[in-house]
Amino acid sequence: MKNKVIFGPAGRPIDYKGPGYKACDYIAGEGLGAYEYQGGRGLRIGEKSSKILKENSIKNNILLSLHGPYFINLASLKEKTINNTIELMFKSAQIAEWMGAYRIVFHPGYYGSNTNSVSLSIAIETVNKIFKNLEEAGIKDFTFSPETTGKKSQLGNLDEIISLCKEFDKFEPTIDFAHLHARNEGAVKSKDDYNSILSKLENELEINTLHCHFTRIEYSASGEKKHHCLDELDYGPSPKLFLESLVENDFKATIICESPLLDKDALNLKKIYEGLI
């Protein structure tokens, strides 16, 4: 039986010493099937290296995604920030096309002094500007993937991510289960909690294939505080209940591990999953 769920690290594997754009050989050698290239602190990869990464991922049958810059804020009231966001999203789409990334993951932004609904409206207006620029440049081979965010100050609860994905054809969600757990102060506790999230996605967006992030997480009253490894059992959410829910609901998924152990915990997730199928 071919696995319907594949696993990979958020960034270069822990013990890998080479450049990120050549990491797929190492990742495939570990037995993993996905890789999320990290551009969170800046898009420092050019066209040549992006195309090397594309060839490397295809050769190794690694599903590639790109995490866009953390500086993106679709809902800012500052014109300079919006212009910078448009530029960063445009550049992310260009790089994703070069490297063949099937998703561009990004954090949508912050509420600031706005209400949630106003922030969402501003974000939609900003995305329309981004799409206009991409269309004019002839950039077409991209899919933006807004991520559920971990802090209560951030735009990106589950309903907001669903709303953004309903609004735009080239939007698909990234569901970070640790972030949902943290921003709701430990709300993802049982298999029913996972089932409820999957059912909502299936009903609202008519999907049964997910791009996901997973780790255990520490939180405070304001949300996300710190990522933890899978063996740190004092922190949730539960990886086994998550994987059981995927299997029982017949979901396909790409699961990107964001624990401090990255690829090593991605392999631990894969081992749990293979014990269930």
Side-chain angles (χ1 to χ4, degrees):
M1 176 182 177
K2 185 175 180 180
N3 288 358
K4 298 174 70 172
V5 178
I6 61 174
F7 302 85
R12 287 182 292 181
I14 295 295
D15 295 327
Y16 172 70
K17 305 304 181 186
Y21 62 87
K22 292 184 177 179
C24 290
D25 290 329
Y26 188 96
I27 291 167
E30 291 185 295
L32 295 170
Y35 174 37
E36 191 153 289
Y37 187 90
Q38 298 298 290
R41 291 178 174 80
L43 295 165
R44 302 186 181 96
I45 186 169
E47 182 175 1
K48 182 179 178 180
S49 295
S50 294
K51 289 181 175 178
I52 291 171
L53 175 54
K54 180 178 181 178
E55 292 172 3
N56 194 241
S57 67
I58 291 170
K59 181 185 77 171
N60 288 287
N61 196 29
I62 298 293
L63 187 61
L64 192 67
S65 53
L66 168 68
H67 199 301
Y70 297 133
F71 321 117
I72 287 167
N73 185 356
L74 297 175
S76 177
L77 292 175
K78 297 180 180 178
E79 184 178 0
K80 183 177 179 180
T81 300
I82 290 294
N83 289 339
N84 187 51
T85 289
I86 291 170
E87 183 179 340
L88 289 171
M89 293 282 279
F90 182 95
K91 188 175 180 182
S92 297
Q94 176 68 88
I95 290 171
E97 189 169 80
W98 288 337
M99 67 171 54
Y102 96 117
R103 294 284 187 274
I104 304 162
V105 178
F106 71 98
H107 300 171
Y110 291 85
Y111 301 122
S113 60
N114 296 325
T115 63
N116 295 31
S117 60
V118 168
S119 294
L120 187 60
S121 295
I122 295 171
I124 289 169
E125 182 180 336
T126 304
V127 173
N128 280 319
K129 294 176 183 177
I130 294 163
F131 277 9
K132 182 180 178 182
N133 289 358
L134 289 168
E135 183 178 3
E136 289 174 353
I139 299 171
K140 301 176 181 178
D141 192 13
F142 65 89
T143 299
F144 287 118
S145 194
E147 178 183 342
T148 53
T149 48
K151 292 184 170 66
K152 295 179 182 180
S153 59
Q154 291 176 293
L155 177 67
N157 65 33
L158 184 58
D159 288 333
E160 289 162 348
I161 295 302
I162 287 172
S163 292
L164 284 170
C165 292
K166 281 183 173 181
E167 187 75 23
F168 300 105
D169 288 341
K170 285 186 152 308
F171 268 47
E172 295 286 347
T174 291
I175 305 302
D176 189 315
F177 288 91
H179 284 170
L180 291 178
H181 184 70
R183 75 178 289 148
N184 296 298
E185 297 186 52
V188 185
K189 297 176 181 177
S190 67
K191 194 186 299 183
D192 283 345
D193 294 326
Y194 285 116
N195 290 343
S196 177
I197 294 167
L198 296 182
S199 293
K200 187 163 194 170
L201 291 165
E202 189 170 27
N203 292 335
E204 297 279 347
L205 297 176
E206 297 182 353
I207 59 173
N208 69 344
T209 300
L210 291 180
H211 187 82
C212 313
H213 288 174
F214 196 88
T215 185
R216 292 187 185 271
I217 198 165
E218 183 178 351
Y219 59 86
S220 66
S222 60
E224 175 185 10
K225 188 174 180 182
K226 183 180 178 181
H227 288 187
H228 286 271
C229 301
L230 296 190
D231 63 359
E232 296 184 79
L233 303 182
D234 289 340
Y235 304 98
S238 165
K240 187 170 185 290
L241 293 179
F242 166 48
L243 294 168
E244 285 178 351
S245 180
L246 286 180
V247 171
E248 291 170 12
N249 286 282
D250 199 30
F251 260 71
K252 299 177 183 178
T254 301
I255 302 176
I256 300 298
C257 182
E258 289 195 315
S259 96
L261 289 178
L262 295 175
D263 56 314
K264 296 183 186 299
D265 267 347
L267 286 167
N268 287 331
L269 287 169
K270 182 183 177 185
K271 183 177 179 180
I272 296 169
Y273 171 70
E274 289 180 341
L276 298 172
I277 59 176

